[in-house]
Amino acid sequence: MRSATMLMAHLPPPPELYVVGAGPGDPELLTLKAYRILQTADVVLYDNLANQELLALAPTACECIYVGKKPYGEYTPQEVIHELIREKALAKGRVVRLKGGDPFIFGRGFEEMLFARSHGIAAHYVPGISSMQAVGFEDIPLTHRVVSEGFWVLTGTKKDGSLSADLRVAMQSNSTVVIYMGMKKLPQIAATYVQEGRGATLAAVVMHASLPQRKVVRGRIEELPALVAAAGITYPAIIFIGDVVGLG
């Protein structure tokens, strides 16, 4: 009986992956479930957009590894992240993949879960407050009765580097258009609105939403590239287009 107990004590913990949303930046916007999971992590693989203050929630013995991807700059290849997930989960147990915003909205969280499961590693999803929701701190609601009937959420740059064709469809609706990863394409986005006779549509760009260093510009979409350049806004930032921008 004693030898069986000793054997169990030396067995490695079961490998598992938690893909966790870190929220839009403010550490107080972390969910309670994410808070609890971080406190039990053996390894944390954290993103460029995850607030590093959250790493203090992990146990002292927890290994924290940066695997960030900066837009158009240095990045950790996805294959390396996959290998770290496999290696660390099998060796140490509970791996937390901490990603900014919500990991299922223009993140690769689901890909990482599928990879883990293909290697016999249990994988779980913990939602986060999406970065686009933090625009509410600027008195810009994503929807508002009569003014906006809904919202479209698009990526500014597709996998092949082109602008999403869905933009022309979205701009015809009475809904707010939200564009992630669109800063490099902002002049092209503005030109598309002008071509469709919608250059006067109100728009805003929010950088570092929910954080003290945030920057915001508002104006007509046709003038937005110049406003953004004057304000020194770069990445990470989200573009919001529609009448809701003028409500506040």
Side-chain angles (χ1 to χ4, degrees), residues 134-154:
V135 74
F137 292 118
E138 309 305 325
D139 286 343
I140 300 175
L142 290 175
T143 63
H144 189 274
R145 192 168 50 172
V146 180
V147 173
S148 173
E149 297 171 356
F151 55 92
W152 292 70
V153 185
L154 310 174

Side-chain angles (χ1 to χ4, degrees), residues 118-199:
S118 72
H119 288 79
I121 299 164
H124 315 278
Y125 164 61
V126 180
I129 295 174
S130 170
S131 301
M132 68 180 174
Q133 292 175 269
V135 74
F137 292 118
E138 309 305 325
D139 286 343
I140 300 175
L142 290 175
T143 63
H144 189 274
R145 192 168 50 172
V146 180
V147 173
S148 173
E149 297 171 356
F151 55 92
W152 292 70
V153 185
L154 310 174
T155 176
T157 308
K158 297 195 301 181
K159 189 176 180 180
D160 62 3
S162 64
L163 182 65
S164 173
D166 285 351
L167 178 62
R168 288 189 184 273
V169 181
M171 67 198 303
Q172 302 301 324
S173 71
N174 186 29
S175 294
T176 308
V177 177
V178 181
I179 304 176
Y180 281 72
M181 298 171 288
M183 293 303 291
K184 195 173 182 181
K185 298 284 187 183
L186 183 55
Q188 190 178 343
I189 292 166
T192 304
Y193 270 82
V194 171
Q195 289 164 13
E196 296 292 331
R198 293 175 173 264

Side-chain angles (χ1 to χ4, degrees), residues 43 63 65 83-93 95:
V43 179
E63 184 180 5
I65 305 171
E83 183 54 32
L84 281 169
I85 288 171
R86 187 193 67 80
E87 175 193 325
K88 297 299 181 181
L90 293 175
K92 295 197 170 184
V95 173

